[in-house]
Amino acid sequence: MKIEVAKSKSRWFTASGIGLGIGLVAMVISLITLGSPLRLGLDFTGGTLLQLQFPKAIPDIAKVRAEVAEAGYPNSVVQQIGNDTIAVRTRPLSQPERSKLQNDLKADLGNFQLERIESVGPTLGQELLFNGLLSLALALAAILVYLAFRFQLDYAVCAAVAMFHNVIATMGVFAILGLLFGIEVDTLFVVAILTIVGFSVQDTVVVFDRVRENLKFLSRKKPFPDIVNDSVNQTWVRSVNNNIAALLVLLPLSIFGGESIRYFALALIIGFVVGTYSSIFIAAALLVWWRERKPASAAGAGAAKAER
């Protein structure tokens, strides 16, 4: 199957624009309603999480919220997980406060098993958020510098745009999941985003490397868009096969893994699929669009530099 990238680039840009637009709208709504573009988990906000598993049917969620508020924690987040579990997230609690809250809830809601308990201080949560964003910024900057050195500036810019495309697309999906299903992001989500960035660059470099190789032999015979198109068609099968191999590992994790591993795997699945799409349809199409804006450099300097 032959893929047409250069001539159909407007179609791919439009498809990506619509998808990213939906994600950005979700992030804006999340920012207005939750105070952040994504629903932040305990790792970033700080607080105490109590996960209560009930032996039979769980009580009404509104009643649980009322009981938690009556116990002295009116701003807590109460969320149903599955058919028999409720998560209660409060401000950071001391051991006596946790024990008292559990006893109060058992007295009002019936017996339950404390399935999980976590506590993170607000200062540590802010540090984790800052360090996560700093790691992401440094990784993006380092990759941009590497690509500018390895190829040319226009290659690096197109690859960077494709990376941001993948990151925003993944964040957009999790913003929607956070609004609709209360799914939170934690430090593993930052790890997933960094992995997606690395995967995206690897896939894009494969395509750009083939473009550069083909330019050495075909720059006098074919226009630049045709060379890019040929390069994409010579590499897309490899990219898709790599993605399928990764998905075969990640899909079982997303289905059978625990809660934190499940969403980590889900973020990787979304990022890998979008990354494969962007390396084939977005990064290459952007390169063609960039060179078409500067036809002289595409014919002369561009081809010459690409042969380095």
Side-chain angles (χ1 to χ4, degrees):
M1 183 176 71
K2 187 171 183 179
I3 293 176
E4 178 54 61
V5 174
K7 292 179 182 176
S8 304
K9 54 184 179 299
S10 298
R11 180 190 307 167
W12 309 121
F13 292 160
T14 302
S16 286
I18 292 173
L20 295 183
I22 294 172
L24 288 172
V25 168
M27 283 192 270
V28 170
I29 295 173
S30 180
L31 182 63
I32 294 171
T33 57
L34 304 176
S36 61
L38 302 176
R39 185 182 288 271
L40 299 179
L42 194 68
D43 290 358
F44 299 134
T45 60
T48 297
L49 173 70
L50 303 172
Q51 202 158 301
L52 317 176
Q53 186 177 39
F54 291 82
K56 298 178 181 177
I58 62 171
D60 182 70
I61 199 76
K63 182 181 179 183
V64 179
R65 287 196 180 100
E67 297 297 341
V68 172
E70 190 176 332
Y73 309 101
N75 296 321
S76 301
V77 176
V78 179
Q79 180 183 356
Q80 181 176 343
I81 301 175
N83 297 323
D84 60 353
T85 305
I86 288 180
V88 179
R89 192 174 70 193
T90 68
R91 64 170 176 77
L93 302 178
S94 63
Q95 177 61 45
E97 288 175 322
R98 285 203 307 262
S99 300
K100 183 176 184 307
L101 176 59
Q102 290 177 55
N103 293 333
D104 290 347
L105 292 178
K106 279 186 178 178
D108 296 324
L109 304 175
N111 194 29
F112 58 78
Q113 181 181 355
L114 186 60
E115 188 180 57
R116 175 186 171 197
I117 182 167
E118 289 184 22
S119 191
V120 178
T123 304
L124 179 59
Q126 291 174 4
E127 284 183 7
L128 287 172
L129 180 60
F130 175 78
N131 290 338
L133 294 176
L134 181 63
S135 301
L136 185 59
L138 290 176
L140 290 173
I143 288 171
L144 184 61
V145 171
Y146 166 73
L147 289 174
F149 175 76
R150 181 76 173 77
F151 295 95
Q152 300 174 47
L153 180 61
D154 52 356
Y155 285 72
V157 171
C158 294
V161 172
M163 276 192 307
F164 280 111
H165 170 280
N166 305 336
V167 171
I168 292 174
T170 307
M171 291 178 64
V173 172
F174 270 79
I176 295 171
L177 293 175
L179 290 171
L180 296 181
F181 305 106
I183 294 176
E184 300 173 340
V185 297
D186 54 14
T187 49
L188 278 179
F189 183 77
V190 178
V191 176
I193 291 294
L194 290 172
T195 308
I196 290 167
V197 167
F199 179 85
S200 304
V201 171
Q202 178 193 354
D203 249 11
T204 304
V205 164
V206 169
V207 177
F208 284 178
D209 246 343
R210 184 55 61 92
V211 172
R212 191 171 57 173
E213 290 174 5
N214 287 338
L215 274 172
K216 294 178 183 177
F217 307 105
L218 299 175
S219 60
R220 295 181 183 277
K221 300 177 182 177
K222 288 187 174 183
F224 186 75
D226 289 349
I227 294 175
V228 172
N229 220 51
D230 289 347
S231 304
V232 168
N233 279 287
Q234 291 165 5
T235 55
W236 75 266
V237 173
R238 174 185 182 277
S239 298
V240 171
N241 286 338
N242 281 346
N243 193 24
I244 290 174
L247 293 182
L248 289 176
V249 176
L250 293 172
L251 280 173
L253 282 176
S254 68
I255 296 171
F256 302 110
E259 187 180 351
S260 57
I261 294 296
R262 178 180 303 135
Y263 296 130
F264 171 70
L266 178 62
L268 289 180
I269 289 171
I270 296 167
F272 283 11
V273 172
V274 176
T276 301
Y277 161 78
S278 72
S279 67
I280 295 172
F281 296 104
I282 300 301
L286 275 174
L287 189 60
V288 173
W289 173 80
W290 183 293
R291 291 296 178 91
E292 285 179 342
R293 291 175 61 245
K294 298 178 180 178
S297 63
K305 288 180 181 178
E307 293 177 359
R308 289 183 302 179

